Amino acid sequence: MDTNNGSSTTDFILLGFSDRPQLEPIISGVVFIFYIVTLVGNTTIILVSYLDTQLHTPMYFFLTNLSFLDLCYTSSIIPQMLVNLWGPTKSITYGGCVLQFFFALDLGSTECLLLAVMAYDRYAAVCQPLHYTVIMNPQLCQKMVLTAWLGGFGSALILCSLTLNLPRCGHRKVDNFFCEMPALLKMVCVYSKIMEITVFALGVILLLVPLSLILISYGVITQAVMRVKSEARWRKVLNTCGSHLTVVTLFYGTIIYMYMKPQNSTFQDEGKFFTFFYTIITPTLNPLIYTLRNKDVKSAVKRILHVEKWSAKS
C-alpha cells in the first residue's frame, strides 16, 4: 500500500453539506445570522466589561477571555464555511486547512480549561465570600488564564503534528464543513496506536479532569446555596452560577460525545450536527446566556448607554 501523503501540498475538498444541496442556502443564511449575533454579542461583553469599572472583577475578566476566545473560534471557521456554501467550489488550501485544524484544537482546548477556571472562581465567590478578593487576586487570575491558553496551545501543537504526519494515501475529501480532527483522522489510511493513546490521554486531561473539577465545585456550591437564607443573595448566586453551568452543559456535552469515543462510531449526519452545534450555535448562545441571565451586565449596558446619551446632549 502506498502510504505517501500525496496531497500534502494540494487543496482539500470540504464536503460539508454537499450531499444535501437543497439545504445549503438555508444553512448559509442561518450560519450568517448566527455569526453576526456572535460578533455583536461577544464584542458587547468585551466592551462593557472594559468600560464599566463595576465589572472589573475576576468573573468578568474570565468572561472577557471566553468572549474573545469565541470570537476567534468562530472567525477561524465560519468565513471559509460561508465561502464554500455560497460558491461553486468546496475547496480549502492545505495551509488553510492546517490553520483551521490548529486553531480549532487550540481554542477548543483552551475553552475547556477556561470553563474550569470560571467554576473555581464561582466556588471562591460563593463559598469563600469574605476572602474572595484575596483568593482571586489579579496575579492569580492572570496566571490561571495564561495556563489555560498555554495548555490549549500545547495540546493543539501535539495533536496537530501527530495527525498531519499520518499518511492519507492521497485522500483529499474532508467529510465535514471545516478541518476538524475526527474528519481528518477518517482520511488516514493506517492505524496509529500512538495517535489513539494520545487523543485519549489529552481527552482525559482536557475534558474529563476539568469537567470533574467543575462538578466538584458545583457540588460544594450547591451545599453552600442550600444554607443561604437571604433570598436576594440566593437569587444572585443562582443567576451567576446558572449562566456558567448552562454554558458548561452545552459545550462539554457535545465535545465529550464527539471526542471521547471511537472515531468511527459516529454517523455522518449525526457527527456534523454535533460539530455544527458546538462550533456555531454554542458561541452564539454564550453571550446571550450571560447577558439575559445576568443583571450586572444588563445594568452596566444601561449605565454606559445613559452616559453616552448624556454626553451627546451636553
Side-chain angles (χ1 to χ4, degrees), residues 129-154:
L130 299 179
H131 305 287
Y132 176 67
T133 55
V134 176
I135 297 173
M136 300 303 295
N137 59 78
Q139 292 77 19
L140 178 62
C141 293
Q142 291 169 7
K143 288 178 181 178
M144 293 173 80
V145 167
L146 181 61
T147 300
W149 282 96
L150 291 178
F153 178 83

Side-chain angles (χ1 to χ4, degrees), residues 78-90:
I78 294 181
Q80 179 67 51
M81 181 182 179
L82 290 175
V83 168
N84 288 352
L85 285 171
W86 289 339
T89 61
K90 309 294 181 183

Side-chain angles (χ1 to χ4, degrees), residues 45 48-49 52 54-55 57-61 63-64 118 121-122 235-247 285-303:
I45 287 181
V48 169
S49 299
D52 193 285
Q54 294 187 31
L55 299 185
T57 63
M59 175 182 173
Y60 294 101
F61 173 67
L63 182 55
T64 298
M118 294 174 73
D121 171 68
R122 291 300 82 208
R235 286 183 178 178
K236 185 175 182 179
V237 169
L238 195 61
N239 282 335
T240 56
C241 293
S243 299
H244 177 255
L245 196 55
T246 303
V247 170
L285 294 178
N286 286 354
L288 296 177
I289 291 169
Y290 275 104
T291 52
L292 293 177
R293 292 182 59 90
N294 196 311
K295 293 181 180 179
D296 291 340
V297 175
K298 290 187 283 188
S299 298
V301 172
K302 291 178 182 178
R303 284 194 296 271

Side-chain angles (χ1 to χ4, degrees), residues 125-291:
V126 175
C127 301
Q128 304 289 336
L130 299 179
H131 305 287
Y132 176 67
T133 55
V134 176
I135 297 173
M136 300 303 295
N137 59 78
Q139 292 77 19
L140 178 62
C141 293
Q142 291 169 7
K143 288 178 181 178
M144 293 173 80
V145 167
L146 181 61
T147 300
W149 282 96
L150 291 178
F153 178 83
S155 62
L157 199 61
I158 294 171
L159 290 175
C160 195
S161 301
L162 288 175
T163 303
L164 294 175
N165 281 324
L166 293 173
R168 297 184 302 276
C169 302
H171 296 161
R172 298 174 53 216
K173 295 181 178 180
V174 181
D175 191 16
N176 213 325
F177 53 84
F178 81 106
C179 292
E180 189 191 27
M181 188 173 70
L184 291 178
L185 287 178
K186 288 180 181 179
M187 299 167 61
V188 174
C189 54
V190 296
Y191 171 73
S192 173
K193 185 68 175 179
I194 295 177
M195 187 68 197
E196 184 179 5
I197 294 173
T198 304
V199 170
F200 181 80
L202 288 177
V204 170
I205 295 171
L206 296 171
L207 291 175
L208 299 186
V209 171
L211 181 59
S212 298
L213 294 175
I214 291 171
L215 294 177
I216 292 171
S217 296
Y218 276 106
V220 178
I221 288 172
T222 301
Q223 291 181 338
V225 168
M226 298 301 291
R227 295 193 295 266
V228 173
K229 296 182 180 180
S230 171
E231 186 176 349
R233 185 167 180 265
W234 186 85
R235 286 183 178 178
K236 185 175 182 179
V237 169
L238 195 61
N239 282 335
T240 56
C241 293
S243 299
H244 177 255
L245 196 55
T246 303
V247 170
V248 167
T249 303
L250 291 174
F251 181 76
Y252 271 96
T254 51
I255 285 286
I256 287 178
Y257 181 82
M258 285 297 295
Y259 282 87
M260 295 302 293
K261 61 175 181 53
Q263 294 300 325
N264 294 325
S265 64
T266 302
F267 294 109
Q268 178 180 344
D269 292 339
E270 183 185 3
K272 289 179 184 178
F273 169 78
F274 279 99
T275 303
F276 187 87
F277 191 88
Y278 70 76
T279 57
I280 310 295
I281 299 177
T282 301
T284 305
L285 294 178
N286 286 354
L288 296 177
I289 291 169
Y290 275 104
T291 52

